[in-house]
Amino acid sequence: MAYTLVPTELIADSAVTSAKIANGTIATVDIADDAITSAKIDTNIAIAGSLSVAGTLTANAGINIDNINIDGTTIALSSGNLVLDSAGDIILDAANNDIILKDAGTTFGQFTNDSGQLIIYNAGSQMLKGNSGSNAIFVGNVTAVGTSVFTN
């Protein structure tokens, strides 16, 4: 007698492999809803096409996209420049009032919201430089006294 269906109780754990399946594949229609769990996947999964996720994608160990790593509160780029490009505005929203500028971990400047007033802090010295068209602008030795600002 030939079997057309084999009951699951006759199949030993890990007994069915892709080599034992006629075409080496298992189609999604052959998998019962919620039948594949993370405990049943013990290696990496390679996807040749696109991955679409209808719900939330959780990656508690971080995620790598090209040479960008996103992990916890850090977005790190391993080489080159990071460009933030938006069809709309780029918004930096810091609930603690400070946007801190660093070079290799060392703070060199800071933007601070002080009761709705913009404070620009230069950690290296008390000078600001700029350019207006072809004319250089230099504000040297900025000294703040109370709410007044004096320049030399």
Side-chain angles (χ1 to χ4, degrees):
M1 176 171 137
Y3 286 107
T4 56
L5 296 174
V6 178
T8 55
E9 60 269 7
L10 296 178
I11 302 172
D13 287 344
S14 304
V16 177
T17 63
S18 61
K20 294 180 182 177
I21 298 172
N23 63 1
T25 64
I26 297 174
T28 55
V29 295
D30 297 328
I31 301 171
D33 289 343
D34 300 322
I36 296 179
T37 64
S38 60
K40 295 179 183 178
I41 300 173
D42 64 356
T43 60
N44 295 331
I45 298 174
I47 299 172
S50 297
L51 173 65
S52 296
V53 179
T56 301
L57 177 62
T58 302
N60 289 331
I63 186 169
N64 293 317
I65 305 166
D66 293 331
N67 63 337
I68 297 174
N69 174 270
I70 303 171
D71 193 1
T73 60
T74 302
I75 299 174
L77 180 66
S78 62
S79 65
N81 297 325
L82 179 64
V83 176
L84 298 177
D85 186 1
S86 172
D89 296 331
I90 294 176
I91 300 168
L92 302 176
D93 187 353
N96 282 344
N97 299 325
D98 299 322
I99 297 171
I100 300 168
L101 307 173
K102 292 187 176 189
D103 179 15
T106 301
T107 299
F108 67 89
Q110 180 173 316
F111 298 108
T112 297
N113 175 8
D114 183 9
S115 300
Q117 300 297 312
L118 173 64
I119 307 296
I120 301 173
Y121 171 71
N122 181 346
S125 66
Q126 294 181 343
M127 75 172 80
L128 299 173
K129 294 180 184 179
N131 189 319
S132 175
S134 61
N135 301 318
I137 299 171
F138 174 74
V139 180
N141 299 325
V142 177
T143 305
V145 179
T147 58
S148 301
V149 174
F150 303 97
T151 62
N152 298 335

